[in-house]
Amino acid sequence: MSDKYKDTNTDELEEELETEKSDGSVKYEENDNWEFEATAHTLENTVVENDEFEIILPDSASEEKTVTAADEDEKEEKEDSKKESSKYETRERPVAKDDKEDDSKAKAEKQSSKGKSNMPKIICGVLVSLIVIVVLSVFGWRYYTLPNTDEKMNYGNVALVVGEEEVSIGMYNYYYNSIYQNYAQYAQQGYYQLDTTKDFTKQKTTNAKGKEVTWAQLFKDDTVDRLQYILALYHAGVENGVELTSDQKKSIKENIKELKSSASDSDMSVDEYISEQYGEYCGLATIEKMLTQAYIANNYYRQFLIENKPTEKEVNAYFKKNKDDYTQVKVGYIPIPYNADDGTARAEAEKNAKNYAKKVKNIDDLKLLVPKACKELIDQYVAAGQYEDADACAEAIAGMLEIDIVQSDTSFPSEAKEWLFSSKTKVNQTTTFTDADNAVVYILLKMSEPSLKDDETYSVRHILIKPESDEKSDESSKSTPKYTKEQWAAAKKKADKILKEYKKGDKKELNFAFLAEKYSDDTESTSKGSSGMYGGLYEGVTLGQMVQSFEKWATDKSRKYGDTGIVKSDFGYHIMYFVEDVPYYYHECAEAVINDKGDDFVKEAVVKEHASVMKKTTVAKPEKAEETDDSAQQYANTGDAEAQTEAASEEVVEGEDDE
């Protein structure tokens, strides 16, 4: 629910399940021009840096110790010992000389009594031992001590317990391998300082809390965090009666079918194939269970968002504490990089930047400087083939000089931010700052006074009912189909019927979302699309993005939460449900509050590791330096002699289509 799991913006759970690559864009109904930009809650809007909760194990979880059978025996012995010699037990009372004979008799009776009281314990212990022997003779010792691919949760196969949900070695390995794979791929693209050919226990990085850890530790921590996140939501979903949708059941069946087919093509059993592709001890049962858990977790998460909307008091309190995150200033800037290894390069770049800054009075002057001030960058881009020529590149750079930054922004040096947000700095004033850490000199132009991000922003749910046309739809065409009066009338009748169905129910937002999933022809605002949206929700929409009739209804100042209505557009009839019409900063604060609530909810699912079993789980090993296949990885099982050399696949099923 925070940025830790914001990987890509595809359907919330399919991104987790299929790990499909995404360009981060949101796609909408291309065949009828129903296009706009809006934000969507996703299970992972961050895989590694891609999911929507920042998941942090609670302190109590980190302090939990592994409980083994030996530990339990030792604990019982200590408890028995405590019972026999309690700190409240008094010393024996001194006796008179004449009473010694009676006292000796009493002691003898006491010893006899002790012997009798221990007999039931001895008999019970013998019976337990006999039962264990009988059970082991029937099922075999291996059943209880060895991992398996069938998701049988015998003691030797349970690596973790999250809340009340047990995690098998195979399930842990599946998530671990996918997380390592993502980090390795991003590292190859230069996003992380991670050398996959060197020992991961020797390389350091910074985790989401800002703490320095080894990469080896980060791989494990992120795996545990992901499992905690999914299983906390899954368990709550099951308790609340959340079930798989028909589309989700179909998707799971298709995944299983594809896996069996791929295994057959590879002349392997399906469990062998899955273990090779996704992790040791990961089998068909593991994949099916993982998909089921993730889908139900996603379904419950959507319900959680609706049922835990923050109050106005909560939002205002959050804003008061985090005002710097929502106070912005518009700035124009030109970066002039220099060679940090050249002793004179920085001085020369600073001198040039100051000379350029003297010529700037407004944003147009700044843009005119681009061809000269950014010559090195332009030459690099053109040489790399990113632009046809220098003029085209300069024009593109000039179009990206204006940005809004908030006071908490870390992309500029702190001195530069202080200058920009100072009341002493006037609009259209220029200066230069050096970012020595990144070897860049900035020319800065202040373009506005600091202000809140208060653009009008609204959120609504809708159910689109399109008239049924006799014409064959052409998905490549952007033109709006023409409908007859009868077709429009039929669509209106259907919309009225659906709205009536909603009003007969509990008149809650969640019920409206269910109806949108069931009836809406705008599939991109439901789970049937690839936008990650659900229940017909358009949230964080700014003015001018939607058709006029839709926007006019949504921004009517008389609207209250829960209002409904029907409006007509060229695309059909929209059954509307009003959520909010607020300044942008308020909407963003509300998002942050619900994310925090989600974090707190997930933390309640305490994680307990079984240390002895965790020793059998996958641990990433460095690749060999001479390997040329970028996708090749090596994994070592600390309990086995041989390392696995097969890479964990990015997808559950290769080539699976988006829903």
Side-chain angles (χ1 to χ4, degrees):
M1 292 184 184
S2 65
D3 290 340
K4 183 170 183 179
Y5 289 103
K6 288 190 176 179
D7 244 294
T8 50
N9 289 330
T10 57
D11 188 70
E12 296 162 9
L13 217 49
E14 292 180 12
E15 179 182 26
E16 163 63 32
L17 311 179
E18 304 165 12
T19 324
E20 289 284 358
K21 291 185 180 178
S22 171
D23 59 2
S25 61
V26 180
K27 298 179 181 178
Y28 303 96
E29 297 280 335
E30 295 183 354
N31 60 331
D32 61 6
N33 289 329
W34 191 251
E35 301 180 2
F36 70 101
E37 295 179 358
T39 57
H41 278 292
T42 64
L43 244 180
E44 315 192 315
N45 266 353
T46 101
V47 23
V48 178
E49 293 298 323
N50 299 342
D51 270 274
E52 254 199 14
F53 278 160
E54 177 177 351
I55 308 164
I56 303 169
L57 288 178
D59 293 337
S60 57
S62 62
E63 294 172 0
E64 290 288 346
K65 296 184 178 179
T66 304
V67 179
T68 64
D71 293 333
E72 292 291 349
D73 291 340
E74 183 180 352
K75 183 178 179 181
E76 287 182 9
E77 290 176 7
K78 289 182 178 179
E79 289 296 325
D80 290 341
S81 175
K82 287 181 180 179
K83 290 177 182 178
E84 291 180 6
S85 58
S86 170
K87 65 180 180 179
Y88 297 109
E89 184 177 0
T90 60
R91 296 175 62 186
E92 188 172 285
R93 177 176 59 84
V95 294
K97 188 174 182 179
D98 295 340
D99 295 334
K100 281 187 178 180
E101 184 177 346
D102 293 338
D103 186 59
S104 297
K105 185 177 180 181
K107 282 187 177 181
E109 291 177 352
K110 183 177 181 182
Q111 292 295 332
S112 176
S113 175
K114 275 190 177 181
K116 290 180 181 179
S117 65
N118 283 332
M119 286 302 295
K121 292 184 180 179
I122 295 172
I123 294 171
C124 183
V126 171
L127 288 174
V128 169
S129 298
L130 288 173
I131 292 171
V132 170
I133 292 171
V134 171
V135 171
L136 291 177
S137 67
V138 175
F139 294 101
W141 179 258
R142 293 168 62 86
Y143 175 85
Y144 293 94
T145 60
L146 295 182
N148 61 76
T149 59
D150 300 324
E151 289 298 303
K152 294 176 181 177
M153 307 309 279
N154 53 285
Y155 181 82
N157 196 40
V158 178
L160 300 169
V161 178
V162 180
E164 299 180 22
E165 301 297 327
E166 295 178 324
V167 179
S168 68
I169 292 178
M171 186 73 75
Y172 177 92
N173 287 348
Y174 173 85
Y175 281 102
Y176 182 96
N177 290 347
S178 65
I179 283 172
Y180 170 74
Q181 172 79 357
N182 275 272
Y183 273 123
Q185 287 180 344
Y186 281 121
Q188 290 166 3
Q189 298 171 26
Y191 289 101
Y192 297 113
Q193 296 299 314
L194 170 63
D195 188 339
T196 57
T197 67
K198 295 182 179 179
D199 189 345
F200 299 122
T201 65
K202 307 293 185 186
Q203 301 180 65
K204 298 289 185 70
T205 186
T206 303
N207 64 17
K209 298 179 182 178
K211 181 181 178 181
E212 187 178 64
V213 296
T214 65
W215 277 101
Q217 187 65 44
L218 186 67
F219 298 152
K220 178 187 175 183
D221 291 345
D222 279 6
T223 302
V224 174
D225 286 353
R226 179 68 59 79
L227 284 162
Q228 185 191 32
Y229 169 64
I230 295 292
L231 294 181
L233 291 168
Y234 166 73
H235 183 75
V238 172
E239 285 195 331
N240 284 273
V242 175
E243 298 179 349
L244 296 172
T245 66
S246 58
D247 287 339
Q248 289 168 346
K249 291 178 182 178
K250 181 181 178 182
S251 176
I252 292 174
K253 287 182 180 179
E254 289 174 350
N255 273 279
I256 298 303
K257 182 180 178 181
E258 288 292 333
L259 284 169
K260 290 180 177 179
S261 176
S262 297
S264 178
D265 292 342
S266 302
D267 196 24
M268 301 171 70
S269 73
V270 66
D271 282 349
E272 287 175 336
Y273 176 79
I274 292 171
S275 291
E276 184 176 280
Q277 294 294 317
Y278 306 116
E280 192 172 14
Y281 305 119
C282 184
L284 189 65
T286 310
I287 297 298
E288 186 172 7
K289 185 176 181 180
M290 179 272 296
L291 288 166
T292 300
Q293 288 176 340
Y295 271 131
I296 288 179
N298 184 57
N299 295 347
Y300 177 72
Y301 175 56
R302 288 160 170 168
Q303 180 175 325
F304 179 91
L305 293 175
I306 295 173
E307 295 180 339
N308 290 272
K309 285 184 176 297
T311 64
E312 184 176 349
K313 183 178 179 180
E314 289 174 324
V315 175
N316 289 333
Y318 181 89
F319 171 71
K320 187 176 181 180
K321 291 181 179 179
N322 300 275
K323 190 174 182 179
D324 286 352
D325 292 337
Y326 305 99
T327 304
Q328 66 182 8
V329 63
K330 185 176 290 295
V331 57
Y333 77 105
I334 288 180
I336 302 177
Y338 61 86
N339 186 352
D341 297 327
D342 185 342
T344 62
R346 172 174 172 171
E348 184 177 353
E350 290 175 338
K351 179 181 177 182
N352 291 337
K354 288 179 180 179
N355 289 334
Y356 289 137
K358 293 177 182 178
K359 302 176 182 179
V360 177
K361 303 297 181 185
N362 52 49
I363 188 62
D364 292 331
D365 292 340
L366 193 68
K367 291 179 179 180
L368 291 175
L369 291 175
V370 170
K372 287 186 177 181
C374 301
K375 187 178 185 306
E376 288 186 20
L377 285 175
I378 292 171
D379 291 343
Q380 291 175 15
Y381 287 138
V382 174
Q386 296 186 30
Y387 294 94
E388 184 177 349
D389 53 40
D391 289 341
C393 183
E395 184 178 352
I397 293 175
M400 297 184 289
L401 298 184
E402 301 177 48
I403 61 171
D404 294 321
I405 69 167
V406 295
Q407 203 158 354
S408 59
D409 191 285
T410 58
S411 59
F412 285 109
S414 56
E415 297 86 355
K417 288 189 298 178
E418 290 176 10
W419 181 83
L420 285 166
F421 283 89
S422 172
S423 59
K424 296 179 181 179
T425 305
K426 305 303 179 185
V427 173
N428 286 329
Q429 189 173 338
T430 61
T431 191
T432 63
F433 284 97
T434 301
D435 183 353
D437 292 337
N438 296 297
V440 175
V441 179
Y442 289 106
I443 302 173
L444 298 182
L445 169 70
K446 182 174 180 178
M447 298 178 61
S448 72
E449 294 293 348
S451 62
L452 285 173
K453 300 162 70 174
D454 59 357
D455 295 343
E456 184 175 0
T457 302
Y458 63 88
S459 300
V460 295
R461 292 184 185 272
H462 89 138
I463 303 171
L464 176 63
I465 303 301
K466 293 180 181 178
E468 294 184 5
S469 175
D470 296 330
E471 301 177 12
K472 292 184 178 180
S473 61
D474 182 4
E475 294 185 0
S476 62
S477 175
K478 296 261 183 178
S479 61
T480 304
K482 293 182 178 180
Y483 304 110
T484 65
K485 290 182 179 179
E486 291 76 16
Q487 290 167 342
W488 277 109
K492 179 62 164 62
K493 184 178 180 181
K494 183 177 180 180
D496 288 335
K497 185 178 179 181
I498 294 171
L499 182 57
K500 186 176 181 180
E501 180 181 347
Y502 164 74
K503 289 183 176 180
K504 282 185 177 180
D506 59 14
K507 297 182 182 179
K508 291 184 178 180
E509 186 178 349
L510 184 62
N511 187 38
F512 190 94
F514 289 154
L515 293 176
E517 289 289 309
K518 182 178 180 180
Y519 293 116
S520 185
D521 290 326
D522 178 19
T523 56
E524 286 305 310
S525 65
T526 69
S527 60
K528 295 181 180 68
S530 59
S531 64
M533 295 182 183
Y534 173 81
L537 178 65
Y538 289 153
E539 64 175 350
V541 184
T542 54
L543 300 182
Q545 290 184 275
M546 309 297 278
V547 294
Q548 187 175 2
S549 57
F550 187 102
E551 188 165 283
K552 183 178 179 181
W553 188 94
T555 56
D556 187 324
K557 300 309 175 186
S558 66
R559 292 275 168 257
K560 294 181 180 179
Y561 174 70
D563 282 355
T564 57
I566 297 178
V567 298
K568 182 181 179 182
S569 76
D570 291 340
F571 307 106
Y573 286 99
H574 306 263
I575 308 170
M576 308 290 287
Y577 183 99
F578 181 76
V579 179
E580 65 178 9
D581 182 9
V582 295
Y584 180 79
Y585 76 85
Y586 187 95
H587 171 73
E588 291 291 289
C589 287
E591 295 278 285
V593 172
I594 189 64
N595 286 339
D596 287 346
K597 287 185 177 183
D599 287 342
D600 293 340
F601 169 78
V602 168
K603 289 176 187 176
E604 292 177 2
V606 177
V607 177
K608 299 179 182 179
E609 290 188 17
H610 290 180
S612 59
V613 182
M614 282 293 290
K615 291 178 180 179
K616 302 175 185 178
T617 59
T618 290
V619 176
K621 293 279 286 184
E623 301 169 7
K624 293 181 180 179
E626 65 269 22
E627 284 183 347
T628 57
D629 183 0
D630 289 339
S631 65
Q633 300 173 36
Q634 288 188 326
Y635 298 98
N637 186 299
T638 56
D640 297 333
E642 295 185 8
Q644 296 184 42
T645 57
E646 293 295 329
S649 172
E650 285 185 31
E651 301 172 283
V652 172
V653 176
E654 296 177 2
E656 181 187 8
D657 294 332
D658 288 338
E659 283 191 4

